[in-house]
Amino acid sequence: NAGVTQTPKFQVLKTGQSMTLQCAQDMNHEYMSWYRQDPGMGLRLIHYSVGAGITDQGEVPNGYNVSRSTTEDFPLRLLSAAPSQTSVYFCASSYLVSTGELFFGEGSRLTVL
Amino acid sequence: TQLLEQSPQFLSIQEGENLTVYCNSSSVFSSLQWYRQEPGEGPVLLVTVVTGGEVKKLKRLTFQFGDARKDSSLHITAAQPGDTGLYLCAGGTGFQKLVFGTGTRLLVSP
């Protein structure tokens, strides 16, 4: 079972460059989300989606864009990378969020120089 | 902004010891989940509690949700090296969002 698949696993960018982190799930989950994980700060929600065509902002959305054209895919776009966006990014999916289990990908480690 | 503070941040113990990790907030949550994360991997769900005062046991792990649904604790009995990892609590807000705690990094040495 693939579950939640994130690519790439590692990426180094220069300040100002743009890139897209890919996320795909094969569990037919309606809910998908992106988190960033920084030391001592746990996981912070960037953007989330409750279904195809529906997205909303989380706690730290600035500098990131998302779209949800299919149930399976939820890409995260960095428009103009900044050193403050150096982090580990996790994509997660679920049937229901408030009581349902979140299934996470293995993470994408991004370094912005 | 709802915050979940975990304590302690770091815990280094010997195999066989008992420990408790706390997850506290001033906000009320509809549910509380605990995840464990190992290096290079995403978090994996351990348990979900939804009722104030609820206690759940998973082998040597005991989870409790506070009566007022603002706090939770995770107690591990006779810790083993396999328990090593980052433990994260996460509160459900009922608005399709989970608020994650700051994390407790546990190291259990043989």
Side-chain angles (χ1 to χ4, degrees):
Chain A
N1 292 337
V4 179
T5 303
Q6 290 183 233
T7 56
K9 291 192 184 304
F10 302 94
Q11 183 72 51
V12 178
L13 290 177
K14 293 181 179 179
T15 297
Q17 287 185 318
S18 62
M19 77 156 299
T20 299
L21 298 176
Q22 301 290 345
C23 176
Q25 54 92 8
D26 62 359
M27 296 173 283
N28 202 31
H29 287 165
E30 288 297 320
Y31 180 88
M32 295 186 74
S33 56
W34 278 101
Y35 288 86
R36 60 177 289 173
Q37 186 173 37
D38 301 292
M41 303 189 74
L43 289 157
R44 291 182 293 169
L45 182 64
I46 304 171
H47 285 286
Y48 67 98
S49 169
V50 297
I54 305 170
T55 64
D56 205 349
Q57 296 181 350
E59 181 185 357
V60 288
N62 292 342
Y64 307 95
N65 269 1
V66 293
S67 60
R68 185 94 179 270
S69 56
T70 67
T71 299
E72 294 78 19
D73 300 299
F74 191 45
L76 178 72
R77 297 182 186 86
L78 281 71
L79 307 174
S80 178
S84 61
Q85 292 178 306
T86 293
S87 187
V88 181
Y89 292 84
F90 286 96
C91 179
S93 70
S94 175
Y95 286 112
L96 293 170
V97 176
S98 59
T99 57
E101 176 179 2
L102 271 180
F103 292 84
F104 285 85
E106 293 186 333
S108 298
R109 182 175 294 275
L110 174 66
T111 301
V112 183
L113 303 175
Chain B
T1 301
Q2 293 170 297
L3 296 174
L4 275 169
E5 295 287 339
Q6 287 186 237
S7 60
Q9 281 189 314
F10 301 99
L11 196 52
S12 181
I13 61 172
Q14 296 294 119
E15 182 175 3
E17 292 185 32
N18 300 332
L19 67 115
T20 301
V21 176
Y22 299 93
C23 174
N24 295 301
S25 176
S26 57
S27 303
V28 176
F29 293 98
S30 58
S31 65
L32 203 294
Q33 298 180 342
W34 284 92
Y35 290 80
R36 180 168 67 205
Q37 183 180 16
E38 300 190 15
E41 299 181 7
V44 176
L45 181 69
L46 295 173
V47 78
T48 300
V49 285
V50 297
T51 306
E54 183 176 1
V55 177
K56 277 192 176 180
K57 292 190 176 183
L58 187 66
K59 295 183 180 178
R60 294 176 293 100
L61 278 61
T62 302
F63 304 85
Q64 183 163 12
F65 201 9
D67 291 341
R69 290 186 287 126
K70 294 182 179 181
D71 55 82
S72 180
S73 64
L74 158 60
H75 182 78
I76 301 179
T77 303
Q80 299 178 0
D83 295 325
T84 293
L86 177 68
Y87 288 81
L88 295 160
C89 62
T93 65
F95 296 103
Q96 279 87 37
K97 295 181 187 179
L98 274 179
V99 177
F100 277 83
T102 48
T104 294
R105 193 166 297 279
L106 172 65
L107 174 62
V108 182
S109 302

